[in-house]
Every structure is written in structure tokens, then in C-alpha cells.
Amino acid sequence: MSFEEVEGSKAILISLSAKNKIGFINGKLPKSDNDDPKLDLFQRCNDMVTSWILNVLTSDIAESVLYSCSAFRIWKDLDERLGQYNRAKLYQLQKDISDLSQVNNDLVSYFTKLKKQWDELSALSSFSSYNYGAAQNLCEFEQNLKLIKFLMGINSGYC
């Protein structure tokens, strides 16, 4: 998958959530039984979600998942393919954050670039398995690291 498609996956998730269709890709909305009167409705919605996903993929990738039996299967297949990409992306983001400094940018531009990378990193990292107290401590620790990085990257004239 290209970088644009990976970035697009977040947009797809937002769109599906807004349309109350996310259950078609996260497995929480299983396919209806063959004798269920709502099977046609399920199939129509599943086809719509499948179409939305296929429309953001390159033609090669779309062709490779076109005959999947459901939007859930397509999403799962794509997610498995992206697993390796996400680890490489995590590395690259950490490196970019480490290398970033204010240099010739104004303070607002520098902070905006840094915040965008932090937000990307946060979206790729998942801490959902932590309990509330641990998650709160982790967030506080992360905020301190961000502050230190920001201060380390600004020009000496601001210190």
C-alpha cells in the first residue's frame, strides 16, 4: 500500500464511524443468516462499505481484494499487510521527531510540525490494554517527554 492509502485508512475509519457502518469492518456486525429477512439489507450495506474501501485503493491492491466475501475480510487483509508498514512508520516518526528542530522556522511552525508528528505517532501507538491509572501516568510521562523535546529543539534565542 502506498503512504497515501495508509493515511487514508484513518479517514475511512472516521467516515464509517460517522455513517454508523464501522461494524462492517471491525467484525462486530456479523453476516445475517441465509433465512434472515434482513440479509438483503446487510448485503447492500456490506457492498456499500466494500465499495468505499475499494475506491481509495490503487487498482492493483483493489484487484487483490475484490473477490473477498465481505468488507470485514478486505479490511482484515489490508490490516495484515499494513502491520509491517506500521512498525517501519513508527521508527521513521520517532527518527523524524528526534531530528526535528526549529532551525529557520518560526516557533509556531516548529511546534505545528512537531505536533503533527506526535499526533501521527499517537495514532499508530495503542495503549488500550492499560488500566485507567496506568494510562493516566503514561500520558503524563508522554507529555513531559514532548515538552522536553520541544524545548530541546527551539533556537537558543528563545531560552
Side-chain angles (χ1 to χ4, degrees):
M1 237 180 206
S2 70
F3 180 72
E4 292 78 21
E5 290 165 340
V6 173
E7 295 296 311
S9 68
K10 178 71 173 167
I12 291 171
L13 290 171
I14 291 168
S15 295
L16 290 175
S17 178
K19 295 175 190 298
N20 200 26
K21 302 286 186 249
I22 203 132
F24 285 91
I25 64 165
N26 68 10
K28 291 185 178 179
L29 187 61
K31 183 179 178 182
S32 301
D33 295 328
N34 287 341
D35 58 345
D36 188 339
K38 295 182 181 179
L39 179 62
D40 289 341
L41 177 61
F42 174 89
Q43 193 58 51
R44 186 172 57 237
C45 288
N46 183 69
D47 290 345
M48 180 174 53
V49 171
T50 297
S51 173
W52 292 338
I53 295 170
L54 292 173
N55 283 328
V56 299
L57 301 174
T58 62
S59 59
D60 287 344
I61 294 174
E63 288 173 11
S64 75
V65 296
L66 181 62
Y67 296 104
S68 295
C69 59
S70 67
F72 171 74
R73 283 277 167 227
I74 291 172
W75 195 259
K76 187 173 177 174
D77 182 15
L78 295 173
D79 189 47
E80 288 169 0
R81 292 184 201 187
L82 294 176
Q84 294 299 319
Y85 175 85
N86 282 346
R87 285 190 280 281
K89 181 67 176 167
L90 281 170
Y91 166 79
Q92 189 59 51
L93 277 170
Q94 287 284 15
K95 184 173 181 341
D96 291 347
I97 289 168
S98 178
D99 293 345
L100 187 64
S101 61
Q102 185 183 359
V103 189
N104 294 327
N105 295 311
D106 60 81
L107 199 56
V108 172
S109 297
Y110 164 63
F111 180 76
T112 301
K113 288 177 184 178
L114 199 51
K115 175 139 179 22
K116 179 187 178 294
Q117 291 176 335
W118 284 334
D119 290 347
E120 259 187 277
L121 185 63
S122 181
L124 286 175
S125 303
S126 176
F127 300 107
S128 59
S129 62
Y130 291 97
N131 65 34
Y132 177 74
Q136 190 173 11
N137 290 339
L138 187 60
C139 286
E140 188 175 314
F141 178 73
E142 185 179 57
Q143 290 301 321
N144 288 335
L145 288 178
K146 288 178 179 179
L147 175 61
I148 290 166
K149 168 56 190 152
F150 174 74
L151 293 173
M152 288 172 59
I154 61 176
N155 293 338
S156 59
Y158 284 102
C159 296

